[in-house]
Amino acid sequence: MSFGYIGDTFTSVKQQVKNKGILTTQESFDLERQGFLGGSLELIAESNPSGVNTVDFTDIKENVYDVHFVTLKIALNGAGSVNMQFFESGVLETGSVYQYAYQNGQATGTFSETKSTAGTRLFATRIGANGDTRSAYNYLYNLGNSSKYSFQNMQGVSVNTGTTACDMRFGGGALTQASTVDGIRFTETSGQLLTGTIKLYGVKQ
């Protein structure tokens, strides 16, 4: 089926309206149903934790999407940041096989680095104090490709509820072993509890 034509293109009747790339209502419906229209993101999973330490996404459509997109808006009941670990073929990877490099900044003008070549997780948000809301987004690449490393790009911000000072973090990391990642865990490794919203999307190519 062709799309974007107004007028009769299938009979000998001369088309009265030139093609201007305009979709009919039916064509728009058909394209949206086939996944080609209606936005470049598909919501795969959403969690709204309330006072829990761990959130797992175990159905991430890694065989469909090369790129995933995660948004977080999370408060913790103590100082810390939300961390991210990957499931490889159903098994959570907690070994020292994550590498990352992040730049941290504060509105007061203080800057620092967070980095490791042998980490046990990636960071999904900026660090914050008790009750601070941490908002961040993460792009994840190659999760379902068993012959490639899985990569992360992230950017996050937190606002200190007591001083309204803003802190930011940006950077990225990788799971430095080729594997099929079929799940993601979000947690705070020192035991703090998560409250808020985490959404996982697939990015249409």
Side-chain angles (χ1 to χ4, degrees):
M1 179 178 181
S2 59
F3 294 97
Y5 286 87
I6 302 298
D8 188 350
T9 63
F10 300 101
T11 71
S12 59
V13 178
K14 186 176 180 181
Q15 183 171 328
Q16 299 299 311
V17 180
K18 292 182 179 180
N19 169 40
K20 295 183 178 180
I22 301 171
L23 300 175
T24 67
T25 302
Q26 184 60 46
E27 287 175 335
S28 296
F29 173 78
D30 290 339
L31 285 169
E32 184 173 2
R33 181 170 49 82
Q34 296 170 27
F36 297 113
L37 194 67
S40 61
L41 299 177
E42 178 193 349
L43 179 62
I44 298 173
E46 177 178 350
S47 178
N48 297 282
S50 178
V52 301
N53 178 250
T54 299
V55 173
D56 288 344
F57 288 156
T58 56
D59 184 6
I60 66 171
K61 295 190 177 181
E62 74 284 351
N63 59 329
V64 177
Y65 294 106
D66 295 326
V67 181
H68 291 74
F69 181 66
V70 179
T71 62
L72 304 97
K73 187 175 182 182
I74 295 291
L76 299 176
N77 67 333
S81 61
V82 181
N83 306 312
M84 181 166 51
Q85 295 171 317
F86 295 138
F87 289 87
E88 297 173 298
S89 299
V91 179
L92 183 65
E93 179 57 83
T94 59
S96 301
V97 292
Y98 298 89
Q99 295 191 21
Y100 54 79
Y102 307 100
Q103 180 72 42
N104 309 305
Q106 297 177 306
T108 56
T110 301
F111 290 86
S112 63
E113 293 179 343
T114 300
K115 57 186 178 181
S116 177
T117 59
T120 59
R121 80 283 199 200
L122 301 175
F123 292 92
T125 70
R126 174 70 168 114
I127 195 171
N130 183 7
D132 291 355
T133 297
R134 300 143 178 85
S135 298
Y137 64 79
N138 292 254
Y139 281 98
L140 306 175
Y141 307 91
N142 305 329
L143 298 189
N145 193 325
S146 61
S147 64
K148 293 184 177 181
Y149 291 174
S150 296
F151 291 95
Q152 171 219 30
N153 274 331
M154 72 84 65
Q155 184 164 325
V157 64
S158 65
V159 177
N160 187 300
T161 54
T163 64
T164 68
C166 180
D167 296 345
M168 67 84 184
R169 168 178 284 164
F170 67 89
L175 173 63
T176 56
Q177 54 193 18
S179 63
T180 299
V181 172
D182 57 4
I184 307 169
R185 169 166 291 183
F186 300 93
T187 187
E188 206 291 316
T189 52
S190 65
Q192 308 299 340
L193 303 180
L194 288 66
T195 299
T197 301
I198 305 173
K199 295 181 179 181
L200 172 68
Y201 298 87
V203 180
K204 298 177 182 178
Q205 300 294 301

